[in-house]
Amino acid sequence: MSDELARDHGNRDDETDHDPSNHDGGHFRDGHRLAGALNRRSLPEQVELVEAAPVVSAVYGVRTLAAEHQRELLTRLGPERRSTIFAALPPDERARLLGTTGAPQEWLDSLEPDERAVTSRLLRYPPESVGRMMTPHFIELPSGMSCDRALELVRRCSPQVDTVYSLAVTDDDRFAGMIELRELLGAAPDAPVSSLLTDPGHVLDPMQDQEDAARLLLSTNSLAIPVLASDAGVLGLVTVDDAMEILALEESEDISRTSGAEPLGQPYLASSLVRIARSRAVWLVVAAAAAALTVRVLEFFEAELQEVVALALFIPLLLGTGGNIGAQAATTVVRAMAVDDVGFSETPRVVWKELRVGLMLGGLLAVLAALPVWLIYEARLAAVISLTLVTICAIATMGGSLLPLIIGRLGYDPAVVSAPFITTLVDASGLLVYFTCAGVIYQL
């Protein structure tokens, strides 16, 4: 932050009074307790708690909530309390509220002119872009400034910025590099800031995807990465806490969708019955509709079931086993995709590896099942069960690894395929394999 920029941010002093990071541990503890209470109370009770809490604690508690939950809570607060809390939120959180949750425009209009301008700039970028998550309040040091003057500027501006640990250095308003605060503290007082610069390292474009940027930051040893404009000026910083928040949110969504449900957007105990049911209903209906295919397969092999009634006893076992193995494969691949271990170009390698895993697991289960089925029923049924287990496990692992890669390549969330699509694939193909093996061995 140059001297001119520092003056521009001087009028943020009032907002800083509401920033939990600038107050003593008592406020932090109160805010922490309030955050825990908000996760376990109904929405009307949450409103009462936030209205009654000290402003600092209320801001801390609200900031721990998901964006959709924040909007619902702030909407029910009184105008004065809502405006105070909204103004105390960081610009990126305000932009998320306004741009992705349908928060009213009047919230933006209630801000001071400089904060309204900063928030409006972030809103120009797409919802999932780096421009929406970056921190626009940061310290920018001219490369020719001495280290002692730079430290003085850091001390003066620290209450008005979101991070002081990573400092952007510019040369004629163009990005020159980043330095860490500890490097500045250990430098000679009269040395120029430029003497501390090394390789500029990674930089971000404001239109990049948030998740990609977050993973890039966490893969480095940096506390922040600069976001550059087309003229190489610094627009903001993406900090490590921003990255952790984004990845935690993405992981939470993936976990929900892997189980065939949409994210709740707020804590479980604070969610209404209708919200919970609605989050599960879509994929439940999809799975139920897909199950009609399984029914049609059973109808097609009705004659075989009448000939060998014992075949029906093992259908739940076989389909359940295949579904579990397919879900395991899908979850493993989705996780590998999320951390950039695999991509669509590695599809043949991934599918080949999962095929061999499926054959190994199917062979193990076939050996364990063969003897009991043989002793209780007969050898032919044991052969049918064993062959089906090997085949269905191979199909399940191949499908569980292939579908996420294809869905991801098409630009959709690969986590959504794990529950409904894998189950449908395994059920239909497993029944076909089962009754085909039975037809051959029993000569039906």
Side-chain angles (χ1 to χ4, degrees), residues 6 30 48 75 93 102 104 118 169 186 204 210 225 234 260 265 275 279 293 306 320 325 359 391 409:
D30 290 343
E48 293 180 4
T75 299
E93 293 186 24
V118 169
V169 179
L204 297 172
Q210 288 184 354
I225 298 181
V234 184
R275 176 184 287 270
S279 72
L293 178 60
Q306 291 177 348
I325 290 179
L359 291 173
T391 307
R409 179 66 171 182

Side-chain angles (χ1 to χ4, degrees), residues 64-345:
T64 63
L65 305 176
E68 183 66 28
H69 192 183
Q70 286 179 341
R71 183 190 65 79
E72 292 186 8
L73 179 57
L74 290 175
T75 299
R76 299 197 179 197
L77 293 178
E80 183 176 350
R81 176 52 64 105
R82 178 174 59 243
S83 297
T84 301
I85 293 177
F86 185 69
L89 296 177
D92 56 319
E93 293 186 24
R94 294 199 297 258
R96 184 171 63 227
L97 274 172
L98 294 166
T100 61
T101 68
Q105 178 70 22
E106 63 188 48
W107 293 10
L108 180 63
D109 298 336
S110 69
L111 297 172
E112 295 295 326
D114 62 326
E115 287 302 308
R116 184 165 61 247
V118 169
T119 306
S120 297
R121 283 201 298 271
L122 297 185
L123 285 169
R124 296 172 189 167
Y125 299 105
E128 299 297 324
S129 67
V130 167
R132 277 287 183 90
M133 73 178 290
M134 68 181 179
T135 296
H137 296 310
F138 60 96
I139 295 179
E140 183 178 320
L141 304 174
S143 60
M145 177 179 282
S146 65
C147 289
D148 59 341
R149 284 196 61 204
L151 282 173
E152 180 184 347
L153 182 63
V154 170
R155 283 191 291 268
R156 186 169 71 250
C157 299
S158 59
Q160 289 89 46
V161 298
D162 296 313
T163 179
V164 297
Y165 300 106
S166 291
L167 310 169
V169 179
T170 57
D171 187 4
D172 293 331
D173 294 326
R174 294 176 61 87
F175 176 67
M178 298 288 295
I179 62 173
E180 302 295 333
L181 178 61
R182 65 173 178 270
E183 297 173 336
L184 193 62
L185 290 170
D190 57 347
V193 169
S194 58
S195 65
L196 304 179
L197 292 176
T198 55
D199 181 5
H202 299 285
V203 297
L204 297 172
D205 183 274
M207 300 302 291
Q208 279 183 251
D209 182 79
Q210 288 184 354
E211 188 174 355
D212 294 340
R215 296 196 184 284
L216 174 63
L217 176 55
L218 293 184
S219 68
T220 69
N221 292 323
S222 304
L223 296 175
I225 298 181
V227 183
L228 302 188
S230 56
D231 61 356
V234 184
L235 296 173
L237 301 180
V238 173
T239 59
V240 67
D241 58 320
D242 293 330
M244 293 176 65
E245 181 180 353
I246 291 295
L247 293 182
L249 179 61
E250 293 290 339
E251 185 171 326
S252 176
E253 291 178 352
D254 287 346
I255 291 173
S256 295
R257 288 170 177 157
T258 297
S259 63
E262 287 298 311
L264 289 174
Q266 59 181 226
Y268 175 79
L269 292 177
S271 301
S272 67
L273 297 178
V274 173
R275 176 184 287 270
I276 295 174
R278 187 171 62 237
S279 72
R280 303 175 187 177
V282 174
W283 288 112
L284 187 62
V285 172
V286 171
L293 178 60
T294 303
V295 175
R296 296 296 297 171
V297 174
L298 284 172
E299 288 181 352
F300 184 78
F301 289 104
E302 185 177 1
E304 283 81 352
L305 282 173
Q306 291 177 348
E307 288 288 332
V308 185
V309 178
L311 289 174
L313 300 176
F314 292 92
I315 291 177
L317 168 66
L318 295 173
L319 299 189
T321 300
N324 288 335
I325 290 179
Q328 289 175 338
T331 302
T332 301
V333 173
V334 167
R335 175 60 180 166
M337 293 173 66
V339 297
D340 290 330
D341 280 351
V342 300
F344 187 77
S345 59

